[in-house]
Amino acid sequence: MVQLDAVPRPRPGADILGVSRGSAVLELGCGKGGNLAHVATLGARAVGVDLSLAQLRAAEARWSDTAELELHQADALDFLAHCTDTFDAVFSVFGAVWFTDPVRLLPAIRERLRPGGVLAFSQRPPVEGCYGCQASYITRSEDEDPLVVKRWDYEPPRWTRILRQHGFTGATAQVLPAPVGPRKTGTLLVRATMGPATL
Ligand SMILES: C[S@@+](CC[C@H](N)C(=O)[O-])C[C@H]1O[C@@H](n2cnc3c(N)ncnc32)[C@H](O)[C@@H]1O
């Protein structure tokens, strides 16, 4: 994906999402909207959801001259439960998919994906031996305790199994190497398409 965002973060690219002019695309946990803005510049309808009003305000400020974004402040599960639209692709870059129980989230995403639609997400690979729901500590200021949030970490074969169990087909999951530079941790990239339910 062409880098519109100032923060380099490995992400599902437009080719992985199959985005083209007229596609409807949803990002779960869009943050400041760099990835979503890129999707919009490809001619897709770009819908973003994020819990954080501050992030969404920053997205509006950054991209209002560049790209038309539909931004919603909501928890990803709540948004999916109330949304009546369907999407050609749903994606998440170190976003809400990482921070939501897949057992609840994947059925909700399925409800909003068109047949053959794509789900793709990226996140940090699991720490060896630490699988399932993990506590994640997010540093704030020096004066504040870190924020503790839950995140869901699995190895690639487990992700493909979970996706299959929730009716997704052609699931792939791989750890991409870190780009050249100081960062040593790769990126887990997961992709699947919406198939018939198997549950
Ligand atoms: C690490 S940031 C990544 C933002 C963006 N995807 C990027 O690559 O720059 C994670 C974002 O996910 C949002 N988020 C986390 N859990 C969420 C949830 N359950 N529903 C909606 N947004 C969520 C956070 O508010 C935050 O903006």
Side-chain angles (χ1 to χ4, degrees):
M1 181 175 274
V2 173
Q3 186 81 43
L4 283 184
D5 204 331
V7 182
R9 201 188 292 287
R11 59 207 69 220
D15 49 336
I16 288 170
L17 297 177
V19 174
S20 57
R21 188 159 289 282
S23 301
V25 180
L26 171 66
E27 181 175 6
L28 299 175
C30 61
K32 296 189 178 79
N35 302 298
L36 201 60
H38 177 58
V39 164
T41 62
L42 299 175
R45 177 181 168 216
V47 181
V49 179
D50 203 286
L51 274 175
S52 161
L53 187 58
Q55 293 280 72
L56 294 175
R57 289 212 169 120
E60 276 165 7
R62 276 174 112 181
W63 306 115
S64 59
D65 292 343
T66 322
E68 194 175 324
L69 306 182
E70 293 175 40
L71 300 173
H72 301 267
Q73 187 197 6
D75 170 75
L77 277 173
D78 289 342
F79 177 83
L80 290 163
H82 294 103
C83 174
T84 52
D85 294 345
T86 51
F87 296 92
D88 299 291
V90 174
F91 75 102
S92 189
V93 179
F94 289 61
V97 171
W98 198 12
F99 302 108
T100 308
D101 185 350
V103 169
R104 298 183 66 203
L105 187 62
L106 293 176
I109 291 174
R110 269 186 62 89
E111 288 292 314
R112 306 272 44 100
L113 261 181
R114 294 192 180 127
V118 173
L119 166 64
F121 55 92
S122 60
Q123 58 196 49
R124 226 177 33 232
V127 174
E128 197 179 340
C130 302
Y131 307 124
C133 183
Q134 306 290 317
S136 190
Y137 296 85
I138 298 175
T139 311
R140 297 191 279 187
S141 68
E142 276 186 9
D143 306 333
E144 287 176 292
D145 288 336
L147 184 68
V148 184
V149 296
K150 291 177 181 171
R151 60 164 209 263
W152 274 261
D153 288 330
Y154 297 105
E155 289 180 298
R158 181 77 191 277
W159 268 120
T160 56
R161 211 162 53 242
I162 291 170
L163 284 157
R164 270 202 308 275
Q165 285 166 346
H166 286 87
F168 288 87
T169 57
T172 59
Q174 56 190 310
V175 176
L176 306 175
V180 176
R183 220 166 58 83
K184 297 283 172 264
T185 310
T187 298
L188 175 71
L189 174 63
V190 182
R191 182 189 190 276
T193 52
M194 162 80 175
T198 55
L199 279 179

